[in-house]
Amino acid sequence: MDQKTTIYDIAKKLDITAATVSRALNNNPKISEATRKLVLETAAKMNYKQNRLAQSLRSGKSNNVGVIVPRIDVNFFASVIRGIEEELHPEGYHVIICQTHEDEKREIENITTLMNAQVDGILMSISNMSKENDPVIKHVVDKNVPLIFFDRKKKMDGVSSVTIDDFEGGYLATKNLIDAGCTRIAHFSGDRSLEIYENRFKGYEQALKDFGLEWNPDYVIQTKSNVDAGRNAVTKLLSLPNPPNAIFSSSDFAALGAIQELKENGIKIPEDFCVFGFGNEPFTRFLELSISSVDQSPLEMGRMAAKVFLEQINNTDNIKIEKKVVLKPELQIRKSSTR
């Protein structure tokens, strides 16, 4: 078995103390530039590799940041992660990505694993509003490890968040449908125990109220974020005595399913029926019938979440910083809602 090169080997080679070698490798200002350069060159020639775990234990920093998302195979979360990495990598941080698959038990395992790995911070989008994960999240806060929610969040003291204005997004999307002449507007809602879906619903509801349209509870259907859910929800809507003539969906995937089902029923879009989605997934603009959607600025959200983390980790005043950053949504108006 090959012997690993140690700082004592380098010290012996250069006829200096091991303490001097250690200081040089860790850029201690007490070491001259000439000595530091000599130590680094010798270490490279001798194939010396620093023990990162020991180094992090000494410094109290691992230079690793945990990112927890419901799923990584969705463009929104992939773009958020890209934004986080683009901001943190130049600062010397590495990102550890975990998925919950909407499972709170898995979320708890992810948080526990990241804490055991001594990450310098955790950026996360929660799976649901279950209180089962509250103790482990509180443990993160109590340990003074920066915790930043993005997109989906809980209201917790000492925790920063970066979101978009989901209420405004829901309001503007519904207003666009009203401006297109739609008077019976349905809504595909996600799990409204999550604040983002509740706020999108409230924006939809307020727009109907402001423009004198009646809210029909039969028009509001909770759906999952997938194509089949959208198709099934449209089947229910079309069976109503007075079906709607528009849908504002909290999910682009459900919106796509709705369009497919409407077309199969011989309903023309947008002439007879308009559809507006949420998320601005890439497919929405590349379809022959492009889908109007609310853009959530995921790249900017990721960058902003990383900036909030850096501000907290670099804070030397021992004062807890709690930030609530709210980004403005932008409408991408396309064929599915343009008459």
Side-chain angles (χ1 to χ4, degrees):
M1 188 173 176
D2 293 339
Q3 289 283 329
K4 288 184 179 179
T5 302
T6 68
I7 61 172
Y8 299 99
D9 298 323
I10 299 170
K12 185 177 180 181
K13 177 82 173 176
L14 296 177
D15 196 24
I16 57 178
T17 66
T20 300
V21 173
S22 177
R23 291 190 185 106
L25 290 171
N26 289 289
N27 297 319
N28 190 300
K30 293 180 180 179
I31 303 300
S32 70
E33 181 59 28
T35 301
R36 190 183 74 85
K37 186 177 179 183
L38 181 62
V39 168
L40 290 175
E41 288 175 352
T42 305
K45 287 176 184 175
M46 296 178 71
N47 199 29
Y48 170 74
K49 291 181 175 60
Q50 283 183 292
N51 185 325
R52 294 292 178 189
L53 179 60
Q55 191 179 28
S56 66
L57 288 171
R58 287 194 299 271
S59 67
K61 285 185 67 177
S62 66
N63 282 86
N64 291 324
V65 175
V67 177
I68 303 175
V69 295
R71 299 186 70 91
I72 199 173
D73 59 350
V74 176
N75 178 72
F76 172 76
F77 290 117
S79 297
V80 171
I81 291 168
R82 176 186 161 192
I84 290 170
E85 286 193 316
E86 285 182 357
E87 202 67 37
L88 293 185
H89 187 264
E91 300 296 325
Y93 287 95
H94 300 281
V95 172
I96 301 172
I97 302 165
C98 302
Q99 299 182 84
T100 64
H101 297 281
E102 308 285 3
D103 182 345
E104 66 266 24
K105 288 192 172 86
R106 198 160 180 171
E107 187 170 73
I108 291 168
E109 289 173 5
N110 288 339
I111 296 170
T112 303
T113 299
L114 290 172
M115 288 297 286
N116 288 340
Q118 297 185 321
V119 294
D120 295 333
I122 296 176
L123 286 62
M124 70 180 291
S125 185
I126 64 169
S127 58
N128 56 51
M129 291 304 289
S130 165
K131 292 188 178 296
E132 195 172 333
N133 60 9
D134 283 2
V136 72
I137 291 176
K138 190 174 184 302
H139 175 70
V140 177
V141 177
D142 291 343
K143 287 290 183 180
N144 289 320
V145 174
L147 174 63
I148 295 94
F149 289 135
F150 61 85
D151 186 44
R152 305 178 182 185
K153 65 183 178 72
K154 285 190 170 188
K155 292 178 181 177
M156 299 188 77
D157 292 337
V159 181
S160 296
S161 62
V162 181
T163 59
I164 70 158
D165 191 332
D166 287 288
F167 175 91
E168 185 179 3
Y171 186 96
L172 293 176
T174 307
K175 181 180 181 298
N176 175 261
L177 294 170
I178 295 169
D179 291 343
C182 303
T183 54
R184 302 186 309 279
I185 302 170
H187 176 50
F188 291 173
S189 170
D191 178 1
R192 279 166 50 196
S193 69
L194 285 165
E195 192 175 279
I196 59 170
Y197 295 122
E198 176 65 10
N199 286 341
R200 290 171 198 177
F201 166 74
K202 285 181 176 177
Y204 153 80
E205 191 179 40
Q206 189 62 48
L208 294 181
K209 182 179 178 181
D210 287 352
F211 289 89
L213 297 181
E214 186 178 350
W215 175 68
N216 185 341
D218 291 336
Y219 286 173
V220 179
I221 301 178
Q222 182 173 316
T223 64
K224 291 185 177 180
S225 182
N226 62 56
V227 172
D228 287 342
R231 295 183 74 113
N232 293 335
V234 161
T235 301
K236 290 180 183 177
L237 291 173
L238 294 182
S239 68
L240 294 173
N242 187 27
N245 56 12
I247 294 168
F248 161 51
S249 173
S250 283
S251 156
D252 281 339
F253 295 97
L256 175 59
I259 288 172
Q260 290 176 351
E261 190 67 23
L262 289 165
K263 281 184 173 181
E264 287 186 13
N265 280 272
I267 297 171
K268 293 180 181 179
I269 303 168
E271 294 86 350
D272 302 325
F273 206 111
C274 290
V275 178
F276 213 108
F278 207 109
N280 199 28
E281 289 288 329
F283 70 80
T284 56
R285 59 184 179 273
F286 295 129
L287 296 169
E288 184 179 349
L289 176 67
S290 57
I291 303 175
S292 298
S293 187
V294 181
D295 185 62
Q296 295 177 268
S297 303
L299 203 59
E300 178 61 23
M301 185 177 289
R303 287 174 177 154
M304 188 57 67
K307 286 178 181 177
V308 172
F309 160 74
L310 290 171
E311 188 175 338
Q312 293 190 7
I313 202 74
N314 294 326
N315 172 39
T316 57
D317 297 331
N318 291 322
I319 300 172
K320 277 196 174 181
I321 300 171
E322 185 179 329
K323 279 199 164 183
K324 305 296 181 188
V325 180
V326 181
L327 306 175
K328 287 187 70 65
E330 292 185 10
L331 296 191
Q332 301 297 322
I333 299 171
R334 303 189 178 105
K335 290 180 183 178
S336 69
S337 71
T338 304
R339 287 175 169 169

